[in-house]
């Protein structure tokens, strides 16, 4: 039975100190030189009288599984909400701090910032819990396209990061918004669109929330007193188009913000009550076949000489460094006689009546998001990429033969082994199973 829905919001500034390493581009040679615009974390807590959930949207590249667990523990302690009911979404801005390093330990000073960051997020969640008020909610969709498919096919049949204006992109933004029941306008909005946080490219050394930050500010300046939470979609193969300057980031962000406001304006009847449910589903993405100890040893030896030429400067050849460390992982796994067959992943569903958010923990292609939404039993399903984890790219089976960065260099892996070419199918099946389980609870 639906009950009066309560909501509360919180937020915090999370911009690191100048000089800290930035995440997202492997070719960067130094830390941040300044701050162009602040990084934020925004929190929405919902309570239907029986179930409580916390949705967190942060201007960060992503969070790895141990980081997700740490934040959930802190948020649960601060709010009393079960850790499994905490949904962590990252905007995937490439103008934020380095969040993890595949090539070694993060310096102690950086770890100190990250621990402080986790506490800021928990504090924002506590603020949301302390401010619960009755709300009504609505849903809207508005056409907007910020990006272009970045998998550009070459004459020889291979693929590079570029622009393909004929390939699929995200065609709209979905918006769920919450108005104060007693009047006073909009309290919070969740808005989703699939686009990489890469309008600023690798030569940018200023902290920035990129396009998503401009959209947030556009919305909050016009809906005074509101808190806007950006949820990225399946943007693994979608870049902003065009890109390369702060002026373009502002243009894209203002377009997205205007579309969100239009969706709110044309939304239908507001709902006074709502029922929440939350489901976590754990499963595995299949891995490529393991190799013999001898083969793993030979692979590492072949890479060793070229890798040592880097002398620790991984930015000089990120692809080589990644292949080298993957070979080290495979050799270690072979020595351990590791029989793992899959990469462990979690999919979380938070549903409010017939609207569902589904977390996807990495760089998922837009076509996979379409497939999950189409198979969902909910009237409106928002696939959210870069949520509750950061495993790497999960390309579609159809794109595997064409190679390219997302397939060859940065595909999700476990102990050095890439996920299999059909891992996207397993992800769709796992997400659909989680959505079906949530629908049964909601029935």
């Amino acid at each position: 039975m639906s009950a009066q829905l309560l909501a509360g919001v919180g937020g915090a500034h999370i911009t690191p100190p100048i000089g800290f390493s930035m995440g997202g581009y492997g070719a960067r040679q130094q830390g941040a030189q300044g701050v162009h615009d602040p990084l934020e974390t925004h929190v929405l807590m919902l309570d239907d009288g029986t179930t409580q959930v916390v949705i967190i949207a942060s201007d960060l590249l992503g969070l790895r599984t141990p980081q997700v667990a740490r934040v959930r523990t802190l948020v649960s302690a601060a709010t009393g909400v079960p850790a499994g009911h905490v949904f962590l979404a990252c905007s995937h801005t490439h103008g934020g701090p380095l969040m993890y390093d595949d090539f070694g330990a993060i310096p102690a000073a950086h770890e100190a910032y990250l621990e402080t960051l986790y506490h800021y997020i928990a504090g924002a969640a506590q603020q949301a819990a302390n401010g619960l008020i009755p709300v009504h909610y609505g849903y809207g969709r508005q056409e907007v396209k910020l990006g272009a498919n970045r998998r550009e096919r070459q004459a020889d049949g291979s693929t590079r990061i570029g622009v393909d204006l004929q390939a699929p992109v995200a065609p709209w933004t979905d918006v769920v918004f919450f108005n104060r029941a007693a009047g006073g306008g909009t309290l919070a909005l969740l808005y989703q669109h699939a686009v990489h946080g890469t309008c600023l490219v690798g030569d940018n050394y200023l902290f920035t929330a990129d396009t998503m930050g401009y959209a947030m500010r556009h919305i909050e300046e016009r809906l005074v007193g509101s808190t806007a939470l950006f949820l990225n979609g399946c943007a693994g193969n979608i870049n902003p188009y065009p890109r390369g300057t702060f002026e373009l980031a502002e243009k894209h962000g203002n377009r997205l913000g205007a579309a969100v406001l239009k969706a709110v304006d044309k939304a239908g009847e507001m709902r006074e009550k709502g029922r929440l449910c939350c489901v976590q589903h754990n499963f595995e993405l299949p891995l490529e076949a393991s190799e013999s100890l001898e083969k793993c040893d030979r692979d590492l030896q072949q890479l060793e000489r070229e890798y040592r030429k880097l002398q620790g400067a991984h930015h000089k050849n990120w692809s080589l460094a990644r292949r080298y460390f993957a070979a080290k992982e495979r050799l270690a796994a072979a020595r351990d006689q590791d029989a793992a067959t899959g990469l462990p992943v979690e999919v979380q569903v938070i549903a409010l009546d017939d609207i569902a958010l589904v977390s996807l923990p990495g760089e998922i292609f837009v076509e996979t998001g379409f497939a999950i939404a189409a198979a969902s039993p909910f009237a409106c399903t928002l696939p959210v990429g870069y949520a509750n984890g950061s495993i790497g790219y999960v390309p579609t089976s159809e794109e595997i033969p064409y190679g390219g960065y997302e397939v060859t260099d940065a595909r999700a892996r476990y102990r050095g082994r890439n996920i299999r070419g059909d891992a996207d199918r397993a992800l769709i099946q796992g997400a659909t199973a989680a959505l079906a389980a949530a629908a049964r609870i909601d029935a």
Side-chain angles (χ1 to χ4, degrees):
M1 180 182 296
S2 297
Q4 173 65 63
L5 187 66
L6 304 179
V9 295
H13 298 297
I14 57 172
T15 312
I18 295 172
F20 267 47
S21 300
M22 300 178 71
Y25 293 112
R28 284 196 176 110
Q29 301 179 34
Q30 61 190 51
Q33 296 176 335
V35 178
H36 181 273
D37 53 278
L39 306 182
E40 309 275 354
T41 187
H42 284 171
V43 179
L44 171 66
M45 180 171 171
L46 299 173
D47 183 350
D48 69 358
T50 302
T51 301
Q52 295 178 320
V53 299
V54 174
I55 300 167
I56 300 169
S58 302
D59 294 325
L60 298 170
L61 184 71
L63 293 164
R64 290 277 168 87
T65 298
Q67 295 171 309
V68 171
R70 177 63 175 152
V71 175
R72 281 175 163 170
T73 296
L74 292 173
V75 170
S76 181
T79 64
V81 175
H85 288 206
V86 178
F87 188 106
L88 295 164
C90 295
S91 71
H92 200 55
T93 176
H94 284 45
L98 181 72
M99 295 301 298
Y100 35 78
D101 193 339
D102 291 326
F103 309 137
I106 287 179
H110 203 101
E111 286 284 8
Y113 159 74
L114 292 176
E115 182 64 16
T116 302
L117 164 69
Y118 308 149
H119 283 272
Y120 269 120
I121 293 173
Q126 185 172 2
Q127 181 185 8
N130 291 341
L132 291 171
I133 61 171
V135 293
H136 301 158
Y137 82 95
Y139 162 78
R141 169 176 285 181
Q142 178 60 38
E143 292 184 3
V144 64
K145 295 180 182 180
L146 301 188
N149 199 297
R150 71 188 209 175
R151 287 185 53 80
E152 183 179 300
R153 209 78 80 220
Q154 305 301 291
D156 63 0
S158 64
T159 296
R160 71 174 183 90
I161 293 180
V163 175
D164 183 347
L165 296 178
Q166 305 306 313
V169 296
W172 53 63
T173 180
D174 285 309
V175 185
V176 186
F177 61 101
F178 302 85
N179 289 350
R180 297 171 176 86
T186 302
L187 176 71
L189 310 91
L190 301 169
Y191 59 107
Q192 185 252 32
H193 185 68
V195 64
H196 244 77
T198 53
C199 197
L200 278 300
V201 294
D203 62 356
N204 170 54
Y205 286 91
L206 301 178
F207 285 125
T208 176
D210 208 287
T211 293
M212 300 78 172
Y214 282 107
M216 179 270 291
R217 290 187 291 275
H218 184 95
I219 295 164
E220 293 185 351
E221 286 170 3
R222 286 154 182 81
L223 294 178
V224 177
S226 68
T227 295
L229 292 84
F230 174 73
L231 307 175
N232 212 328
C234 295
N237 55 343
I238 308 296
N239 267 346
Y241 178 76
R243 58 193 283 250
T245 67
F246 282 106
E247 289 75 20
L248 286 170
E250 182 175 14
K251 179 180 178 181
H252 293 321
N254 288 344
R255 286 182 56 229
L256 177 56
V260 169
L261 295 175
K262 191 169 184 179
V264 172
D265 287 341
K266 72 176 190 180
E269 184 177 352
M270 299 293 290
R271 306 183 191 186
E272 297 183 2
K273 296 181 179 181
R275 183 181 178 188
L276 291 164
C277 73
C278 182
V279 167
Q280 287 177 285
H281 178 45
N282 294 283
F283 56 102
E284 292 183 342
L285 301 184
L287 297 173
E288 292 180 341
S290 57
E291 296 172 328
S292 68
L293 179 63
E294 293 74 18
K295 174 68 162 55
C296 292
D297 192 31
R298 286 198 305 272
D299 288 348
L300 183 61
Q301 288 183 37
Q302 288 173 2
L303 289 166
E304 186 90 33
R305 182 178 298 177
E306 290 302 310
Y307 172 75
R308 291 197 179 282
K309 291 179 182 178
L310 297 179
Q311 296 182 320
H314 301 124
H315 64 275
K316 292 181 179 179
N317 193 332
W318 182 89
S319 177
L320 170 62
R322 181 175 168 87
R323 293 197 306 274
Y324 172 77
F325 277 89
K328 286 188 69 175
E329 290 180 272
R330 287 195 299 274
L331 180 58
R335 286 171 173 164
D336 294 343
Q337 297 183 323
D338 188 334
T341 57
L343 166 62
V345 295
E346 173 208 298
V347 165
Q348 180 187 35
V349 173
I350 289 180
L352 174 58
D353 293 331
D354 58 355
I355 300 171
L357 309 181
V358 54
S359 72
L360 302 169
E363 310 247 26
I364 316 303
F365 279 24
V366 71
E367 298 93 332
T368 300
F370 293 155
I372 291 170
S376 172
F378 290 87
C380 174
T381 298
L382 280 63
V384 182
Y386 316 101
N388 295 336
S390 186
I391 61 174
Y393 284 85
V394 183
T396 59
S397 306
E398 293 77 8
E399 286 295 309
I400 293 292
Y402 300 104
Y405 172 79
E406 301 88 351
V407 174
T408 305
D409 291 333
R411 202 189 320 182
R413 70 187 192 207
Y414 183 67
R415 297 214 69 182
R417 291 160 57 199
N418 284 340
I419 55 172
R420 237 169 42 200
D422 60 348
D424 64 316
R425 302 292 195 259
L427 183 62
I428 293 168
Q429 291 172 3
T432 303
L435 287 159
R440 289 192 293 272
I441 295 172
D442 201 44

